[in-house]
Amino acid sequence: RKYVPGWHIDAVCDHLEAVSCGEIIRLLINVPPGCMKSLTTEVFWPAWEWGPKNRPDIRYVSASYSNDLTIRDNRRCRNLIQSSWYQSIWGTRFRLVGDQNAKTRFDTSYAGFKIATSVGGLGTGERGDRFIIDDPHNIKDGESDAKREAALLWFTETVPTRVNDPEKSSIVIIMQRVHSRDIAGYTIAKNLGYEHLMLPMEFEPERKCFTSIGFEDPRKFEGELIWPERMTPAVLE
């Protein structure tokens, strides 16, 4: 309600929907801060798949550099699902199970769940149909080789073992770039097969983004901002 929705939110939603439909299995989204990436990916998308898409069996594992951030978004998602508005429309399709309804994890009556963890966590145990990695690096640690390498080790050795089906379960990375050898940079350099939705704060025509589902960055001019209604030139400066 506070801001005019930006085209970039539609772009992110379209690519998440392509994951829901099985058109994309691995998705890397690079967007700048302040663009509703966590709300869209961690809150709205799971609630949309469980309710409107009628897939309350889907299991989500969400990780960030901070456990507090994933718990925050888990709580937001749970609050949305339990809201009177959501329940009035989709409440008959599933319910949250009373004995497992906490902010770190909540389960549906169809064996779906959403778990909040952190980078480096969830070494054993539960696996998800959707593994969401939201900002795996703390920006203040971007220049720390040790912390970046620890995150990369977790990404390459732990994450692939925490999905239900290595071929069909999806991994979604949504993050801002912090270093050339962050998880996004590693994914691109190693050509790991991720669809790459790259939406910089300021448009660079020579790096214009196109994706396999027919998306292209609609901006035309050098330096054009991603969300000028909210992130104005003065705010950015």
Side-chain angles (χ1 to χ4, degrees):
R1 295 177 181 177
K2 192 172 182 180
Y3 301 110
V4 176
W7 60 265
H8 67 283
I9 299 175
D10 290 336
V12 171
C13 289
D14 287 345
H15 286 78
L16 292 174
E17 184 173 6
V19 173
S20 298
C21 296
E23 297 176 55
I24 296 174
I25 304 298
R26 301 286 185 265
L27 177 61
L28 167 63
I29 305 174
N30 288 139
V31 293
C35 288
M36 291 179 60
K37 62 181 180 58
S38 295
L39 274 174
T40 304
T41 308
E42 292 272 29
V43 180
F44 302 149
W45 185 39
W48 178 76
E49 288 201 298
W50 279 356
K53 290 291 286 183
N54 200 19
R55 288 294 311 277
D57 59 304
I58 293 177
R59 299 178 171 185
Y60 299 86
V61 177
S62 300
S64 175
Y65 72 85
S66 167
N67 202 42
D68 289 341
L69 294 179
T70 43
I71 289 174
R72 176 202 66 185
D73 292 327
N74 242 34
R75 187 172 60 248
R76 286 173 168 175
C77 185
R78 185 185 63 176
N79 289 346
L80 172 59
I81 290 169
Q82 292 181 325
S83 70
S84 57
W85 170 80
Y86 189 98
Q87 287 297 311
S88 69
I89 305 171
W90 300 294
T92 59
R93 293 187 172 180
F94 70 96
R95 58 182 176 82
L96 298 184
V97 179
D99 61 353
Q100 188 54 265
N101 185 8
K103 59 188 179 181
T104 56
R105 171 177 177 158
F106 50 92
D107 292 36
T108 75
S109 50
Y110 286 83
F113 58 67
K114 192 171 189 294
I115 295 176
T117 186
S118 60
V119 170
L122 205 74
T124 59
E126 303 289 4
R127 293 177 171 83
D129 306 303
R130 313 270 190 256
F131 200 114
I132 303 171
I133 303 171
D134 180 9
D135 274 338
H137 305 278
N138 188 335
I139 194 166
K140 71 179 182 180
D141 297 328
E143 295 302 319
S144 169
D145 291 342
K147 291 186 177 180
R148 282 197 326 276
E149 292 304 315
L152 283 173
L153 188 66
W154 169 82
F155 174 65
T156 56
E157 295 192 0
T158 300
V159 172
T161 70
R162 295 297 94 204
V163 293
N164 284 324
D165 187 326
E167 294 184 351
K168 296 180 180 180
S169 297
S170 57
I171 300 175
V172 175
I173 308 166
I174 186 162
M175 61 180 288
Q176 64 183 84
R177 297 299 305 273
V178 300
H179 192 274
S180 60
R181 192 173 162 77
D182 57 18
I183 283 178
Y186 178 89
T187 300
I188 296 166
K190 294 295 184 179
N191 194 24
L192 298 182
Y194 280 70
E195 186 72 51
H196 186 198
L197 178 63
M198 181 190 67
L199 304 175
M201 178 71 80
E202 298 178 294
F203 183 55
E204 302 170 51
E206 69 278 7
R207 299 176 67 226
K208 182 173 182 175
C209 177
F210 299 86
T211 68
S212 66
I213 66 170
F215 169 81
E216 65 175 276
D217 194 315
R219 293 174 286 181
K220 302 184 185 312
F221 306 109
E222 180 82 33
E224 197 172 346
L225 298 182
I226 192 171
W227 199 2
E229 296 88 354
R230 181 182 188 193
M231 306 297 287
T232 67
V235 168
L236 183 59
E237 185 63 29

